[in-house]
Amino acid sequence: MSSPTALELKARIFGLGMVNPNLRYKKCFIEDIPFAITKSNKILCIPKTDEIKHIGISGATGTCKSITMNALLSWDYWFVKNDCIILNDIQKETFEWSIPTDFYTLEMKKINIVPCPTPIVYVFPSTKTLQIDEKKDKRFPLIKMTLPIKEVIRNIEDYYALDKSKVYLGNLSELLEDCNSMSDIEEVLNENIPKEHEMMKYKLKNIFESLFKSAILNVAVPEAPAYLDYKDKHNNVYYNMTIQTLMRAGLVPSIQTWDLRNHDFFSAFMSFIVDAIHRNQYEDVYFKKRTVSIFCDEIDKLWKGDSGELVKKQIGLIGTNGRVARIGLRWSTQSYNSVPETIRGNTKYLIVSRKNDSKEVNEIRKDFDMPRSMDDDIL
């Protein structure tokens, strides 16, 4: 052990007050993600490593889950350099993330950091009931999006029950995928379904008319694109679906689900988005080399309602296979027990704020092997 310096001896004898303030401290660069200051005045960090990890947040309402998600987003985007997407904004809460705030400025000053805005683009899934507020919503960058008609036809059973018409649609799917209007679809049905199956033809026609009226198809709502292109500073053009192109351009899409979740096809729509992100990690030239962080606030509300198992299955796949596909999940919930084992069992870190239910605390203790002495702290 090295001998104490003269300055250290002086501090021991006379106290820190006798030491020049400029010499009392030294600058220390933090290499990991600073997350909290503990009671013992230590800086608690999430290690910055190449490992893809899932991070969960669970606590009662009003205990800063959204603020925590915003903090994680900032670090993931600016510090770790991940591509990021906010999957489930059900109450327009992320709009506040684009507004300057005075919260926690004192805490941030302690470790010499300042707030930095994240380039969020607010993405509104197109539906026939969507209303965009001219004064409030248009203060921020926004875009409406639809689904490609080809993708919807390939997965038509996720949107409508087909029964016996499934056989006919399966035989016609390739022809229907090339249609650009309802009249094109009618033409295909008329030419390929014989008169003795007229009722089946009308059923399929009604299904597609309903899809067009729902305003979720790109051919039905041209002003809400399903695809975008982006040109970088080297004039290289990238073309992909709306969400992927926004991330490729260095932006953070925030999916506004408060209107979409009122429709029967909510789960199918969100399932498509998650599945497309997953597939792109293997198939797309750009995303093959990138890590994506999916932020999902109130994750359990994604699968409540009609056909909820569709999106629950896709999110579960991210839980189990996300690390291999370079996808990190950042999720939050009020109800820890409602999160499936496929996600909980693969979550590396859990941030817990106040809980009101001792049964939930028991579940957390089992999953993370924490001592019983922490129960009272959480409750």
Side-chain angles (χ1 to χ4, degrees):
M1 185 176 179
S2 59
S3 301
T5 64
L7 192 64
E8 288 173 320
L9 289 171
K10 184 179 180 180
R12 291 180 188 181
I13 298 170
F14 300 108
L16 284 174
M18 295 296 293
V19 180
N20 185 332
N22 293 325
L23 302 174
R24 194 182 302 177
Y25 307 103
K26 68 176 181 179
K27 188 174 288 187
C28 177
F29 290 97
I30 301 170
E31 301 292 339
D32 299 308
I33 299 172
F35 184 75
I37 299 173
T38 68
K39 289 182 179 179
S40 58
N41 240 16
K42 301 278 181 74
I43 298 175
L44 180 67
C45 294
I46 295 173
K48 182 188 176 186
T49 64
D50 292 334
E51 178 192 3
I52 310 300
K53 30 192 174 291
H54 302 325
I55 302 172
I57 306 165
S58 188
T61 182
T63 56
C64 297
K65 293 191 300 297
S66 291
I67 291 175
T68 304
M69 289 284 274
N70 188 6
L72 288 176
L73 174 66
S74 295
W75 289 113
D76 257 9
Y77 182 84
W78 290 110
F79 188 53
V80 185
K81 306 296 185 184
N82 287 347
D83 293 307
C84 300
I85 176 172
I86 304 164
L87 192 65
N88 184 36
D89 188 358
I90 60 176
Q91 293 179 325
K92 294 188 180 182
E93 288 187 347
T94 60
F95 277 69
E96 295 183 7
W97 299 4
S98 292
I99 300 173
T101 177
D102 293 328
F103 283 125
Y104 299 109
T105 50
L106 178 61
E107 285 80 3
M108 289 189 287
K109 188 176 180 181
K110 290 180 181 179
I111 59 171
N112 195 34
I113 60 173
V114 293
C116 187
T118 307
I120 299 174
V121 174
Y122 297 90
V123 180
F124 292 79
S126 173
T127 72
K128 64 182 179 181
T129 59
L130 176 64
Q131 297 289 329
I132 296 178
D133 191 302
E134 291 290 328
K135 290 184 178 179
K136 293 182 180 179
D137 297 341
K138 290 196 173 180
R139 292 176 296 168
F140 308 102
L142 61 85
I143 187 172
K144 291 198 294 182
M145 71 165 284
T146 49
L147 299 180
I149 188 171
K150 289 184 179 181
E151 298 291 340
V152 174
I153 291 175
R154 286 171 188 169
N155 302 282
I156 191 68
E157 285 188 275
D158 293 346
Y159 299 84
Y160 284 96
L162 295 180
D163 302 325
K164 294 179 181 179
S165 56
K166 179 180 179 180
V167 177
Y168 284 96
L169 196 58
N171 294 332
L172 300 175
S173 59
E174 289 188 12
L175 294 172
L176 291 167
E177 287 174 14
D178 293 327
C179 295
N180 291 313
S181 66
M182 189 60 211
S183 59
D184 289 348
I185 288 173
E186 287 180 351
E187 187 176 335
V188 170
L189 297 177
N190 290 332
E191 290 178 356
N192 293 275
I193 297 180
K195 288 186 177 181
E196 59 264 29
H197 297 292
E198 196 78 6
M199 291 300 295
M200 200 64 69
K201 180 174 71 175
Y202 280 115
K203 181 175 181 180
L204 290 173
K205 179 183 174 183
N206 289 335
I207 287 173
F208 283 104
E209 282 182 342
S210 181
L211 277 171
F212 269 77
K213 288 178 181 177
S214 69
I216 66 171
L217 300 178
N218 60 331
V219 294
V221 192
E223 70 273 15
Y227 295 93
L228 292 173
D229 55 36
Y230 161 73
K231 184 183 290 186
D232 66 18
K233 60 184 179 181
H234 303 294
N235 288 325
N236 298 313
V237 177
Y238 177 85
Y239 181 78
N240 205 334
M241 286 175 282
T242 299
I243 298 298
Q244 282 72 18
T245 302
L246 290 172
M247 287 195 288
R248 171 64 186 89
L251 303 170
V252 179
S254 175
I255 313 298
Q256 301 300 297
T257 55
W258 42 269
D259 169 73
L260 183 67
R261 67 197 305 265
N262 297 320
H263 295 272
D264 296 342
F265 46 76
F266 169 71
S267 184
F269 201 114
M270 298 306 295
S271 175
F272 167 77
I273 291 175
V274 177
D275 179 55
I277 293 170
H278 194 190
R279 282 188 284 112
N280 263 255
Q281 293 299 98
Y282 294 100
E283 299 171 2
D284 186 84
V285 174
Y286 171 77
F287 284 99
K288 276 182 178 180
K289 302 175 183 178
R290 299 290 301 171
T291 297
V292 173
S293 294
I294 297 179
F295 289 79
C296 191
D297 200 5
E298 304 290 356
I299 189 171
D300 52 306
K301 292 182 180 176
L302 271 177
W303 45 79
K304 290 181 179 178
D306 295 314
S307 304
E309 287 300 316
L310 288 171
V311 68
K312 188 176 185 179
K313 179 182 177 182
Q314 289 298 337
I315 290 288
L317 286 173
I318 299 298
T320 53
N321 302 332
R323 284 181 290 183
V324 178
R326 303 174 317 285
I327 301 174
L329 185 61
R330 284 82 173 95
W331 56 271
S332 78
T333 182
Q334 293 181 37
S335 174
Y336 181 77
N337 292 338
S338 65
V339 180
E341 177 60 28
T342 51
I343 296 171
R344 283 166 40 178
N346 291 285
T347 294
K348 179 86 171 180
Y349 302 111
L350 183 69
I351 300 156
V352 185
S353 54
R354 180 172 50 80
K355 285 283 184 182
N356 299 321
D357 188 344
S358 58
K359 291 182 180 179
E360 278 200 281
V361 179
N362 288 337
E363 288 297 317
I364 293 171
R365 182 171 3 92
K366 289 176 186 176
D367 287 351
F368 287 88
D369 195 28
M370 71 181 195
R372 282 186 175 273
S373 58
M374 291 184 69
D375 289 19
D376 289 339
D377 292 332
I378 295 172
L379 291 167

